[in-house]
Amino acid sequence: MSTVVAIHWNSDSLQYVVARGGRVETYSTVAMPEGSGPVAIGKKLAEELSHQVSGRVKTIVALARNSLEWQHLALPPCPTDELPDLVRLQSDRELSATGEDDVGFDYLPLSGDEHNAYQVLTVAIATAQIERIRQVCREANLTVDRIVPLAAGWPALASQAGLIHRTESQVFVAPLASEATLWATRAHNAVLFRQFQYPSTDEHGTQAGAIGNELRRSLLSLSQNDGFANPQVTIIGSQASPAGELAQLLDAQVEPAVQAVNIDEQIKSLAGMANAPPPLFALAGLAFDEAAGHSPPVDLLNPRRRPKAAINYRTYALAGIAAALLLLTLGWGGYRNLNAPLEMAAEDRAALDLLEESSEELAEYERKATAVRKWLEESPNLLAHLQHLSRSVRPSELDADDFSFERDLVVEKFNLDKRRLVIDAVARNSRAVQPLEMRLRRANYSPERGKSGPSKKDDYPWKFQSIIEIDAESDQAASELAATEPAASDAGEPPAEATQATEETTPSEETPS
């Protein structure tokens, strides 16, 4: 059962509602010193919630009208999936704060489709304000999940109370102390959403006049839409702030019938909030919607974006296969191109007398062939030498009966730089080094002693280097061994390791270095 905390603060007070499982657990309004900063607000909120919530909670921050930038846009018809980009483009021109990477900006489509012009409400907040909200929540040990207009809580409450009908045109007004929220629905969809301020709240007549003027203007605008006729007007109040008298005053000013509804009498879970100020009811509506898994109409942290295109996995699979085939073709072509200069140089030299006009092309091929030959001369056959050296490193096979434990060694690294091969190895003791050098010399190598000394390995406490300059004779011996070894194995001859192991157990090889 998820816990939702809905928070709203202004210059002199902090208000919050804690809801769990579709009912209000607690709520409060806390006075704050004038000009309190994010740290002070966050610490006060943490103090208030310390005994109310525990564990992971969903946090909604609701902002008043004066903290947001609202704009109504008229846009041309376009496909639904292109509307987010069109709204963003137009808002960048008309709004001063549109957030970064779409965070801090969202919109609510009110009307329009692919064939009719769109009417869109955009809401934006400055990036600095978002960072201030996050700082407050960090100080209160909360993670903000949504930033929404406070006015969005009233439609949520009306829906919870069953006041919004799916087949009727309706207009709702939620008056507060200094401002009011007005929205209209048709077939359960919002077609108008406004928030406005009135000069004074001391007298119902002045408040009713401001609301009546805005109500007449909205009804006139709505009457131009097809299907929006004879709307039902509802004034939302509470037991602490009843709207009956205001509804009577408005009923005399506008043509449609006006009725008043106390929202805390319509929703049982609000029964304990009879004396709560109106903004707390809007917070409760936002918390109820979040607990029920419903997204708010405007969310500045999770705005509407262009829908992701469906991924055609079959197309990507075929493209991957085609790319693999292309790479194989290029690889084969590269291999062939490596040997082609030699072949083409020989052919061009034979036809040089007949193709004098192509001498420049032949010279280019000759240059490439020379580079290949130089590369082949400077680089030994690495695989052949590794195969050849593997027969000379250990005195015999590990499972041989005559395996010499004292002369055992392990090669840690081969480092080949052109024709200079450096072997880094560790041994049981220093007496294993000289037998290794003797085995290497019998394999047509000329090893030189490199760095040696104690190692950090317990089983092999002696480390050393053996440096080999690979000459033509060593190259030839390694290549001949690589070419003849498969034939020897097929003929049933004993492997070279067995013979070598027998030869390397002579006492002369055990002389310490």
Side-chain angles (χ1 to χ4, degrees), residues 381-416:
N381 189 333
L382 178 60
L383 294 179
H385 282 284
L386 290 178
Q387 183 178 6
H388 193 32
L389 286 170
S390 66
R391 306 296 185 268
S392 307
V393 173
R394 273 194 161 131
S396 60
E397 294 183 355
L398 292 175
D399 57 353
D401 295 337
D402 57 349
F403 179 78
S404 176
F405 178 80
E406 293 296 325
R407 289 184 297 162
D408 185 27
L409 53 87
V410 174
V411 175
E412 293 187 318
K413 182 171 65 175
F414 285 100
N415 187 2
L416 179 63

PDB file of all heavy atoms in Angstrom, residues 381-416:
ATOM      1  N   ASN A 381      57.601 -15.267 -37.835  1.00  0.00           N
ATOM      2  CA  ASN A 381      56.329 -15.987 -37.731  1.00  0.00           C
ATOM      3  C   ASN A 381      56.054 -16.240 -36.249  1.00  0.00           C
ATOM      4  O   ASN A 381      56.613 -17.163 -35.648  1.00  0.00           O
ATOM      5  CB  ASN A 381      56.411 -17.298 -38.515  1.00  0.00           C
ATOM      6  CG  ASN A 381      55.051 -17.966 -38.630  1.00  0.00           C
ATOM      7  OD1 ASN A 381      54.189 -17.770 -37.773  1.00  0.00           O
ATOM      8  ND2 ASN A 381      54.853 -18.726 -39.678  1.00  0.00           N
ATOM      9  N   LEU A 382      55.192 -15.388 -35.654  1.00  0.00           N
ATOM     10  CA  LEU A 382      54.976 -15.445 -34.206  1.00  0.00           C
ATOM     11  C   LEU A 382      54.395 -16.787 -33.765  1.00  0.00           C
ATOM     12  O   LEU A 382      54.859 -17.396 -32.796  1.00  0.00           O
ATOM     13  CB  LEU A 382      54.037 -14.310 -33.793  1.00  0.00           C
ATOM     14  CG  LEU A 382      53.655 -14.258 -32.304  1.00  0.00           C
ATOM     15  CD1 LEU A 382      54.887 -14.099 -31.450  1.00  0.00           C
ATOM     16  CD2 LEU A 382      52.666 -13.134 -32.042  1.00  0.00           C
ATOM     17  N   LEU A 383      53.399 -17.296 -34.471  1.00  0.00           N
ATOM     18  CA  LEU A 383      52.768 -18.561 -34.064  1.00  0.00           C
ATOM     19  C   LEU A 383      53.762 -19.715 -34.127  1.00  0.00           C
ATOM     20  O   LEU A 383      53.777 -20.599 -33.263  1.00  0.00           O
ATOM     21  CB  LEU A 383      51.555 -18.835 -34.949  1.00  0.00           C
ATOM     22  CG  LEU A 383      50.388 -17.853 -34.800  1.00  0.00           C
ATOM     23  CD1 LEU A 383      49.262 -18.218 -35.756  1.00  0.00           C
ATOM     24  CD2 LEU A 383      49.876 -17.855 -33.379  1.00  0.00           C
ATOM     25  N   ALA A 384      54.610 -19.723 -35.175  1.00  0.00           N
ATOM     26  CA  ALA A 384      55.585 -20.809 -35.303  1.00  0.00           C
ATOM     27  C   ALA A 384      56.584 -20.766 -34.154  1.00  0.00           C
ATOM     28  O   ALA A 384      56.949 -21.796 -33.577  1.00  0.00           O
ATOM     29  CB  ALA A 384      56.308 -20.707 -36.650  1.00  0.00           C
ATOM     30  N   HIS A 385      57.045 -19.548 -33.768  1.00  0.00           N
ATOM     31  CA  HIS A 385      58.012 -19.454 -32.667  1.00  0.00           C
ATOM     32  C   HIS A 385      57.379 -19.812 -31.341  1.00  0.00           C
ATOM     33  O   HIS A 385      58.032 -20.443 -30.493  1.00  0.00           O
ATOM     34  CB  HIS A 385      58.589 -18.032 -32.628  1.00  0.00           C
ATOM     35  CG  HIS A 385      59.654 -17.793 -33.675  1.00  0.00           C
ATOM     36  ND1 HIS A 385      60.936 -18.271 -33.562  1.00  0.00           N
ATOM     37  CD2 HIS A 385      59.600 -17.146 -34.879  1.00  0.00           C
ATOM     38  CE1 HIS A 385      61.642 -17.911 -34.623  1.00  0.00           C
ATOM     39  NE2 HIS A 385      60.847 -17.223 -35.457  1.00  0.00           N
ATOM     40  N   LEU A 386      56.117 -19.405 -31.115  1.00  0.00           N
ATOM     41  CA  LEU A 386      55.448 -19.795 -29.874  1.00  0.00           C
ATOM     42  C   LEU A 386      55.313 -21.307 -29.773  1.00  0.00           C
ATOM     43  O   LEU A 386      55.494 -21.895 -28.712  1.00  0.00           O
ATOM     44  CB  LEU A 386      54.082 -19.129 -29.796  1.00  0.00           C
ATOM     45  CG  LEU A 386      54.075 -17.614 -29.567  1.00  0.00           C
ATOM     46  CD1 LEU A 386      52.639 -17.100 -29.555  1.00  0.00           C
ATOM     47  CD2 LEU A 386      54.763 -17.255 -28.268  1.00  0.00           C
ATOM     48  N   GLN A 387      54.988 -21.941 -30.903  1.00  0.00           N
ATOM     49  CA  GLN A 387      54.870 -23.401 -30.918  1.00  0.00           C
ATOM     50  C   GLN A 387      56.232 -24.047 -30.653  1.00  0.00           C
ATOM     51  O   GLN A 387      56.357 -25.021 -29.914  1.00  0.00           O
ATOM     52  CB  GLN A 387      54.302 -23.839 -32.262  1.00  0.00           C
ATOM     53  CG  GLN A 387      54.055 -25.340 -32.372  1.00  0.00           C
ATOM     54  CD  GLN A 387      53.461 -25.715 -33.701  1.00  0.00           C
ATOM     55  OE1 GLN A 387      53.330 -24.894 -34.568  1.00  0.00           O
ATOM     56  NE2 GLN A 387      53.122 -26.978 -33.842  1.00  0.00           N
ATOM     57  N   HIS A 388      57.288 -23.456 -31.253  1.00  0.00           N
ATOM     58  CA  HIS A 388      58.636 -24.000 -31.090  1.00  0.00           C
ATOM     59  C   HIS A 388      59.117 -23.817 -29.649  1.00  0.00           C
ATOM     60  O   HIS A 388      59.693 -24.733 -29.046  1.00  0.00           O
ATOM     61  CB  HIS A 388      59.559 -23.284 -32.077  1.00  0.00           C
ATOM     62  CG  HIS A 388      60.908 -23.969 -32.224  1.00  0.00           C
ATOM     63  ND1 HIS A 388      61.084 -25.317 -32.114  1.00  0.00           N
ATOM     64  CD2 HIS A 388      62.145 -23.441 -32.469  1.00  0.00           C
ATOM     65  CE1 HIS A 388      62.352 -25.623 -32.286  1.00  0.00           C
ATOM     66  NE2 HIS A 388      63.029 -24.489 -32.509  1.00  0.00           N
ATOM     67  N   LEU A 389      58.875 -22.617 -29.085  1.00  0.00           N
ATOM     68  CA  LEU A 389      59.328 -22.346 -27.721  1.00  0.00           C
ATOM     69  C   LEU A 389      58.593 -23.192 -26.691  1.00  0.00           C
ATOM     70  O   LEU A 389      59.130 -23.527 -25.646  1.00  0.00           O
ATOM     71  CB  LEU A 389      59.125 -20.861 -27.402  1.00  0.00           C
ATOM     72  CG  LEU A 389      60.117 -19.890 -28.062  1.00  0.00           C
ATOM     73  CD1 LEU A 389      59.648 -18.459 -27.853  1.00  0.00           C
ATOM     74  CD2 LEU A 389      61.518 -20.078 -27.479  1.00  0.00           C
ATOM     75  N   SER A 390      57.312 -23.516 -26.994  1.00  0.00           N
ATOM     76  CA  SER A 390      56.539 -24.288 -26.019  1.00  0.00           C
ATOM     77  C   SER A 390      57.140 -25.666 -25.770  1.00  0.00           C
ATOM     78  O   SER A 390      56.871 -26.276 -24.747  1.00  0.00           O
ATOM     79  CB  SER A 390      55.091 -24.422 -26.509  1.00  0.00           C
ATOM     80  OG  SER A 390      55.055 -25.196 -27.692  1.00  0.00           O
ATOM     81  N   ARG A 391      57.945 -26.149 -26.708  1.00  0.00           N
ATOM     82  CA  ARG A 391      58.588 -27.458 -26.536  1.00  0.00           C
ATOM     83  C   ARG A 391      59.846 -27.380 -25.671  1.00  0.00           C
ATOM     84  O   ARG A 391      60.390 -28.407 -25.293  1.00  0.00           O
ATOM     85  CB  ARG A 391      58.964 -28.051 -27.905  1.00  0.00           C
ATOM     86  CG  ARG A 391      57.792 -28.133 -28.878  1.00  0.00           C
ATOM     87  CD  ARG A 391      56.724 -29.095 -28.347  1.00  0.00           C
ATOM     88  NE  ARG A 391      55.656 -29.281 -29.300  1.00  0.00           N
ATOM     89  CZ  ARG A 391      54.561 -28.561 -29.321  1.00  0.00           C
ATOM     90  NH1 ARG A 391      54.395 -27.600 -28.417  1.00  0.00           N
ATOM     91  NH2 ARG A 391      53.625 -28.784 -30.210  1.00  0.00           N
ATOM     92  N   SER A 392      60.318 -26.129 -25.402  1.00  0.00           N
ATOM     93  CA  SER A 392      61.612 -25.977 -24.734  1.00  0.00           C
ATOM     94  C   SER A 392      61.508 -25.335 -23.362  1.00  0.00           C
ATOM     95  O   SER A 392      62.521 -25.184 -22.697  1.00  0.00           O
ATOM     96  CB  SER A 392      62.536 -25.127 -25.620  1.00  0.00           C
ATOM     97  OG  SER A 392      62.627 -25.642 -26.922  1.00  0.00           O
ATOM     98  N   VAL A 393      60.332 -24.945 -22.943  1.00  0.00           N
ATOM     99  CA  VAL A 393      60.238 -24.189 -21.696  1.00  0.00           C
ATOM    100  C   VAL A 393      60.368 -25.097 -20.487  1.00  0.00           C
ATOM    101  O   VAL A 393      61.270 -24.955 -19.671  1.00  0.00           O
ATOM    102  CB  VAL A 393      58.903 -23.408 -21.661  1.00  0.00           C
ATOM    103  CG1 VAL A 393      58.712 -22.769 -20.307  1.00  0.00           C
ATOM    104  CG2 VAL A 393      58.913 -22.342 -22.744  1.00  0.00           C
ATOM    105  N   ARG A 394      59.446 -26.076 -20.368  1.00  0.00           N
ATOM    106  CA  ARG A 394      59.490 -26.955 -19.205  1.00  0.00           C
ATOM    107  C   ARG A 394      60.381 -28.157 -19.493  1.00  0.00           C
ATOM    108  O   ARG A 394      60.489 -28.608 -20.651  1.00  0.00           O
ATOM    109  CB  ARG A 394      58.085 -27.400 -18.834  1.00  0.00           C
ATOM    110  CG  ARG A 394      57.372 -26.419 -17.889  1.00  0.00           C
ATOM    111  CD  ARG A 394      56.157 -27.026 -17.296  1.00  0.00           C
ATOM    112  NE  ARG A 394      55.742 -26.308 -16.087  1.00  0.00           N
ATOM    113  CZ  ARG A 394      54.501 -25.886 -15.838  1.00  0.00           C
ATOM    114  NH1 ARG A 394      53.555 -26.095 -16.716  1.00  0.00           N
ATOM    115  NH2 ARG A 394      54.216 -25.286 -14.705  1.00  0.00           N
ATOM    116  N   PRO A 395      60.991 -28.708 -18.465  1.00  0.00           N
ATOM    117  CA  PRO A 395      61.903 -29.855 -18.698  1.00  0.00           C
ATOM    118  C   PRO A 395      61.169 -31.075 -19.234  1.00  0.00           C
ATOM    119  O   PRO A 395      61.743 -31.859 -19.977  1.00  0.00           O
ATOM    120  CB  PRO A 395      62.501 -30.101 -17.315  1.00  0.00           C
ATOM    121  CG  PRO A 395      61.515 -29.510 -16.360  1.00  0.00           C
ATOM    122  CD  PRO A 395      60.937 -28.331 -17.041  1.00  0.00           C
ATOM    123  N   SER A 396      59.931 -31.270 -18.852  1.00  0.00           N
ATOM    124  CA  SER A 396      59.137 -32.409 -19.338  1.00  0.00           C
ATOM    125  C   SER A 396      57.681 -32.119 -19.026  1.00  0.00           C
ATOM    126  O   SER A 396      57.354 -31.092 -18.417  1.00  0.00           O
ATOM    127  CB  SER A 396      59.589 -33.711 -18.672  1.00  0.00           C
ATOM    128  OG  SER A 396      59.425 -33.630 -17.271  1.00  0.00           O
ATOM    129  N   GLU A 397      56.800 -33.011 -19.422  1.00  0.00           N
ATOM    130  CA  GLU A 397      55.381 -32.810 -19.145  1.00  0.00           C
ATOM    131  C   GLU A 397      55.103 -32.925 -17.649  1.00  0.00           C
ATOM    132  O   GLU A 397      55.810 -33.611 -16.924  1.00  0.00           O
ATOM    133  CB  GLU A 397      54.555 -33.835 -19.907  1.00  0.00           C
ATOM    134  CG  GLU A 397      54.629 -33.671 -21.414  1.00  0.00           C
ATOM    135  CD  GLU A 397      53.731 -34.664 -22.128  1.00  0.00           C
ATOM    136  OE1 GLU A 397      53.148 -35.516 -21.443  1.00  0.00           O
ATOM    137  OE2 GLU A 397      53.630 -34.571 -23.362  1.00  0.00           O
ATOM    138  N   LEU A 398      54.051 -32.224 -17.203  1.00  0.00           N
ATOM    139  CA  LEU A 398      53.754 -32.180 -15.765  1.00  0.00           C
ATOM    140  C   LEU A 398      53.444 -33.564 -15.201  1.00  0.00           C
ATOM    141  O   LEU A 398      53.719 -33.844 -14.033  1.00  0.00           O
ATOM    142  CB  LEU A 398      52.589 -31.225 -15.511  1.00  0.00           C
ATOM    143  CG  LEU A 398      52.869 -29.739 -15.754  1.00  0.00           C
ATOM    144  CD1 LEU A 398      51.591 -28.929 -15.588  1.00  0.00           C
ATOM    145  CD2 LEU A 398      53.937 -29.231 -14.802  1.00  0.00           C
ATOM    146  N   ASP A 399      52.823 -34.415 -16.029  1.00  0.00           N
ATOM    147  CA  ASP A 399      52.449 -35.744 -15.512  1.00  0.00           C
ATOM    148  C   ASP A 399      53.495 -36.805 -15.813  1.00  0.00           C
ATOM    149  O   ASP A 399      53.236 -37.996 -15.664  1.00  0.00           O
ATOM    150  CB  ASP A 399      51.098 -36.144 -16.090  1.00  0.00           C
ATOM    151  CG  ASP A 399      51.109 -36.129 -17.616  1.00  0.00           C
ATOM    152  OD1 ASP A 399      52.134 -35.685 -18.188  1.00  0.00           O
ATOM    153  OD2 ASP A 399      50.093 -36.525 -18.218  1.00  0.00           O
ATOM    154  N   ALA A 400      54.698 -36.380 -16.275  1.00  0.00           N
ATOM    155  CA  ALA A 400      55.747 -37.370 -16.579  1.00  0.00           C
ATOM    156  C   ALA A 400      56.352 -37.893 -15.276  1.00  0.00           C
ATOM    157  O   ALA A 400      56.439 -37.181 -14.268  1.00  0.00           O
ATOM    158  CB  ALA A 400      56.821 -36.729 -17.455  1.00  0.00           C
ATOM    159  N   ASP A 401      56.788 -39.153 -15.311  1.00  0.00           N
ATOM    160  CA  ASP A 401      57.371 -39.760 -14.117  1.00  0.00           C
ATOM    161  C   ASP A 401      58.688 -39.098 -13.729  1.00  0.00           C
ATOM    162  O   ASP A 401      59.035 -39.025 -12.552  1.00  0.00           O
ATOM    163  CB  ASP A 401      57.595 -41.257 -14.343  1.00  0.00           C
ATOM    164  CG  ASP A 401      56.262 -41.984 -14.524  1.00  0.00           C
ATOM    165  OD1 ASP A 401      55.231 -41.447 -14.046  1.00  0.00           O
ATOM    166  OD2 ASP A 401      56.245 -43.065 -15.146  1.00  0.00           O
ATOM    167  N   ASP A 402      59.436 -38.623 -14.743  1.00  0.00           N
ATOM    168  CA  ASP A 402      60.747 -38.023 -14.467  1.00  0.00           C
ATOM    169  C   ASP A 402      60.678 -36.511 -14.387  1.00  0.00           C
ATOM    170  O   ASP A 402      61.676 -35.829 -14.578  1.00  0.00           O
ATOM    171  CB  ASP A 402      61.750 -38.440 -15.537  1.00  0.00           C
ATOM    172  CG  ASP A 402      61.270 -38.047 -16.926  1.00  0.00           C
ATOM    173  OD1 ASP A 402      60.081 -37.651 -17.035  1.00  0.00           O
ATOM    174  OD2 ASP A 402      62.082 -38.108 -17.875  1.00  0.00           O
ATOM    175  N   PHE A 403      59.513 -35.957 -14.136  1.00  0.00           N
ATOM    176  CA  PHE A 403      59.371 -34.489 -14.076  1.00  0.00           C
ATOM    177  C   PHE A 403      60.167 -33.957 -12.889  1.00  0.00           C
ATOM    178  O   PHE A 403      60.057 -34.444 -11.764  1.00  0.00           O
ATOM    179  CB  PHE A 403      57.898 -34.105 -13.922  1.00  0.00           C
ATOM    180  CG  PHE A 403      57.685 -32.630 -13.819  1.00  0.00           C
ATOM    181  CD1 PHE A 403      57.732 -31.845 -14.957  1.00  0.00           C
ATOM    182  CD2 PHE A 403      57.467 -32.024 -12.591  1.00  0.00           C
ATOM    183  CE1 PHE A 403      57.533 -30.481 -14.867  1.00  0.00           C
ATOM    184  CE2 PHE A 403      57.277 -30.664 -12.495  1.00  0.00           C
ATOM    185  CZ  PHE A 403      57.314 -29.891 -13.649  1.00  0.00           C
ATOM    186  N   SER A 404      61.030 -32.957 -13.179  1.00  0.00           N
ATOM    187  CA  SER A 404      61.907 -32.384 -12.152  1.00  0.00           C
ATOM    188  C   SER A 404      61.196 -31.225 -11.475  1.00  0.00           C
ATOM    189  O   SER A 404      60.984 -30.175 -12.092  1.00  0.00           O
ATOM    190  CB  SER A 404      63.219 -31.923 -12.794  1.00  0.00           C
ATOM    191  OG  SER A 404      64.021 -31.282 -11.819  1.00  0.00           O
ATOM    192  N   PHE A 405      60.816 -31.417 -10.238  1.00  0.00           N
ATOM    193  CA  PHE A 405      60.098 -30.378  -9.513  1.00  0.00           C
ATOM    194  C   PHE A 405      60.978 -29.146  -9.288  1.00  0.00           C
ATOM    195  O   PHE A 405      60.518 -28.022  -9.385  1.00  0.00           O
ATOM    196  CB  PHE A 405      59.616 -30.941  -8.169  1.00  0.00           C
ATOM    197  CG  PHE A 405      58.908 -29.937  -7.316  1.00  0.00           C
ATOM    198  CD1 PHE A 405      57.567 -29.629  -7.558  1.00  0.00           C
ATOM    199  CD2 PHE A 405      59.571 -29.274  -6.292  1.00  0.00           C
ATOM    200  CE1 PHE A 405      56.917 -28.700  -6.774  1.00  0.00           C
ATOM    201  CE2 PHE A 405      58.918 -28.345  -5.526  1.00  0.00           C
ATOM    202  CZ  PHE A 405      57.583 -28.058  -5.763  1.00  0.00           C
ATOM    203  N   GLU A 406      62.256 -29.353  -8.998  1.00  0.00           N
ATOM    204  CA  GLU A 406      63.140 -28.239  -8.701  1.00  0.00           C
ATOM    205  C   GLU A 406      63.389 -27.362  -9.906  1.00  0.00           C
ATOM    206  O   GLU A 406      63.666 -26.183  -9.784  1.00  0.00           O
ATOM    207  CB  GLU A 406      64.482 -28.761  -8.160  1.00  0.00           C
ATOM    208  CG  GLU A 406      64.381 -29.427  -6.816  1.00  0.00           C
ATOM    209  CD  GLU A 406      63.939 -28.441  -5.745  1.00  0.00           C
ATOM    210  OE1 GLU A 406      64.331 -27.274  -5.850  1.00  0.00           O
ATOM    211  OE2 GLU A 406      63.192 -28.833  -4.837  1.00  0.00           O
ATOM    212  N   ARG A 407      63.307 -27.939 -11.143  1.00  0.00           N
ATOM    213  CA  ARG A 407      63.588 -27.148 -12.348  1.00  0.00           C
ATOM    214  C   ARG A 407      62.306 -26.679 -13.030  1.00  0.00           C
ATOM    215  O   ARG A 407      62.342 -26.202 -14.162  1.00  0.00           O
ATOM    216  CB  ARG A 407      64.427 -27.982 -13.318  1.00  0.00           C
ATOM    217  CG  ARG A 407      65.853 -28.203 -12.832  1.00  0.00           C
ATOM    218  CD  ARG A 407      66.661 -28.937 -13.858  1.00  0.00           C
ATOM    219  NE  ARG A 407      66.139 -30.281 -14.110  1.00  0.00           N
ATOM    220  CZ  ARG A 407      66.424 -31.008 -15.188  1.00  0.00           C
ATOM    221  NH1 ARG A 407      67.191 -30.505 -16.127  1.00  0.00           N
ATOM    222  NH2 ARG A 407      65.923 -32.194 -15.350  1.00  0.00           N
ATOM    223  N   ASP A 408      61.182 -26.799 -12.354  1.00  0.00           N
ATOM    224  CA  ASP A 408      59.908 -26.356 -12.949  1.00  0.00           C
ATOM    225  C   ASP A 408      59.856 -24.832 -12.987  1.00  0.00           C
ATOM    226  O   ASP A 408      60.376 -24.148 -12.098  1.00  0.00           O
ATOM    227  CB  ASP A 408      58.740 -26.881 -12.103  1.00  0.00           C
ATOM    228  CG  ASP A 408      57.416 -26.549 -12.751  1.00  0.00           C
ATOM    229  OD1 ASP A 408      57.401 -26.406 -13.991  1.00  0.00           O
ATOM    230  OD2 ASP A 408      56.426 -26.419 -12.020  1.00  0.00           O
ATOM    231  N   LEU A 409      59.275 -24.298 -14.032  1.00  0.00           N
ATOM    232  CA  LEU A 409      59.139 -22.850 -14.190  1.00  0.00           C
ATOM    233  C   LEU A 409      57.844 -22.552 -14.948  1.00  0.00           C
ATOM    234  O   LEU A 409      57.259 -23.426 -15.583  1.00  0.00           O
ATOM    235  CB  LEU A 409      60.345 -22.250 -14.913  1.00  0.00           C
ATOM    236  CG  LEU A 409      60.747 -22.852 -16.262  1.00  0.00           C
ATOM    237  CD1 LEU A 409      59.970 -22.197 -17.387  1.00  0.00           C
ATOM    238  CD2 LEU A 409      62.247 -22.684 -16.470  1.00  0.00           C
ATOM    239  N   VAL A 410      57.414 -21.297 -14.838  1.00  0.00           N
ATOM    240  CA  VAL A 410      56.179 -20.838 -15.501  1.00  0.00           C
ATOM    241  C   VAL A 410      56.493 -19.537 -16.238  1.00  0.00           C
ATOM    242  O   VAL A 410      57.075 -18.623 -15.658  1.00  0.00           O
ATOM    243  CB  VAL A 410      55.046 -20.591 -14.478  1.00  0.00           C
ATOM    244  CG1 VAL A 410      53.831 -19.985 -15.177  1.00  0.00           C
ATOM    245  CG2 VAL A 410      54.673 -21.895 -13.797  1.00  0.00           C
ATOM    246  N   VAL A 411      56.155 -19.509 -17.509  1.00  0.00           N
ATOM    247  CA  VAL A 411      56.335 -18.286 -18.313  1.00  0.00           C
ATOM    248  C   VAL A 411      55.139 -17.367 -18.061  1.00  0.00           C
ATOM    249  O   VAL A 411      53.994 -17.761 -18.236  1.00  0.00           O
ATOM    250  CB  VAL A 411      56.462 -18.626 -19.817  1.00  0.00           C
ATOM    251  CG1 VAL A 411      56.526 -17.331 -20.637  1.00  0.00           C
ATOM    252  CG2 VAL A 411      57.703 -19.467 -20.052  1.00  0.00           C
ATOM    253  N   GLU A 412      55.416 -16.153 -17.642  1.00  0.00           N
ATOM    254  CA  GLU A 412      54.351 -15.185 -17.382  1.00  0.00           C
ATOM    255  C   GLU A 412      54.042 -14.309 -18.589  1.00  0.00           C
ATOM    256  O   GLU A 412      52.905 -13.914 -18.794  1.00  0.00           O
ATOM    257  CB  GLU A 412      54.724 -14.300 -16.203  1.00  0.00           C
ATOM    258  CG  GLU A 412      54.774 -15.038 -14.889  1.00  0.00           C
ATOM    259  CD  GLU A 412      54.986 -14.097 -13.728  1.00  0.00           C
ATOM    260  OE1 GLU A 412      55.808 -13.164 -13.850  1.00  0.00           O
ATOM    261  OE2 GLU A 412      54.329 -14.279 -12.702  1.00  0.00           O
ATOM    262  N   LYS A 413      55.079 -14.035 -19.392  1.00  0.00           N
ATOM    263  CA  LYS A 413      54.822 -13.088 -20.492  1.00  0.00           C
ATOM    264  C   LYS A 413      55.848 -13.283 -21.597  1.00  0.00           C
ATOM    265  O   LYS A 413      57.021 -13.527 -21.326  1.00  0.00           O
ATOM    266  CB  LYS A 413      54.869 -11.647 -19.968  1.00  0.00           C
ATOM    267  CG  LYS A 413      54.568 -10.591 -21.016  1.00  0.00           C
ATOM    268  CD  LYS A 413      54.419  -9.208 -20.414  1.00  0.00           C
ATOM    269  CE  LYS A 413      55.741  -8.754 -19.819  1.00  0.00           C
ATOM    270  NZ  LYS A 413      55.646  -7.356 -19.336  1.00  0.00           N
ATOM    271  N   PHE A 414      55.368 -13.232 -22.852  1.00  0.00           N
ATOM    272  CA  PHE A 414      56.208 -13.123 -24.038  1.00  0.00           C
ATOM    273  C   PHE A 414      56.062 -11.696 -24.562  1.00  0.00           C
ATOM    274  O   PHE A 414      54.959 -11.226 -24.787  1.00  0.00           O
ATOM    275  CB  PHE A 414      55.764 -14.096 -25.136  1.00  0.00           C
ATOM    276  CG  PHE A 414      56.141 -15.539 -24.864  1.00  0.00           C
ATOM    277  CD1 PHE A 414      55.200 -16.413 -24.371  1.00  0.00           C
ATOM    278  CD2 PHE A 414      57.420 -15.991 -25.070  1.00  0.00           C
ATOM    279  CE1 PHE A 414      55.516 -17.722 -24.118  1.00  0.00           C
ATOM    280  CE2 PHE A 414      57.748 -17.314 -24.815  1.00  0.00           C
ATOM    281  CZ  PHE A 414      56.803 -18.192 -24.337  1.00  0.00           C
ATOM    282  N   ASN A 415      57.181 -11.022 -24.817  1.00  0.00           N
ATOM    283  CA  ASN A 415      57.154  -9.666 -25.371  1.00  0.00           C
ATOM    284  C   ASN A 415      58.005  -9.660 -26.637  1.00  0.00           C
ATOM    285  O   ASN A 415      59.242  -9.784 -26.580  1.00  0.00           O
ATOM    286  CB  ASN A 415      57.698  -8.672 -24.352  1.00  0.00           C
ATOM    287  CG  ASN A 415      57.527  -7.242 -24.834  1.00  0.00           C
ATOM    288  OD1 ASN A 415      56.983  -7.007 -25.902  1.00  0.00           O
ATOM    289  ND2 ASN A 415      58.001  -6.284 -24.048  1.00  0.00           N
ATOM    290  N   LEU A 416      57.365  -9.549 -27.798  1.00  0.00           N
ATOM    291  CA  LEU A 416      58.052  -9.599 -29.085  1.00  0.00           C
ATOM    292  C   LEU A 416      58.059  -8.206 -29.696  1.00  0.00           C
ATOM    293  O   LEU A 416      57.012  -7.614 -29.941  1.00  0.00           O
ATOM    294  CB  LEU A 416      57.343 -10.579 -30.027  1.00  0.00           C
ATOM    295  CG  LEU A 416      57.957 -10.706 -31.434  1.00  0.00           C
ATOM    296  CD1 LEU A 416      59.374 -11.254 -31.348  1.00  0.00           C
ATOM    297  CD2 LEU A 416      57.089 -11.607 -32.316  1.00  0.00           C
TER     298      LEU A 416
END
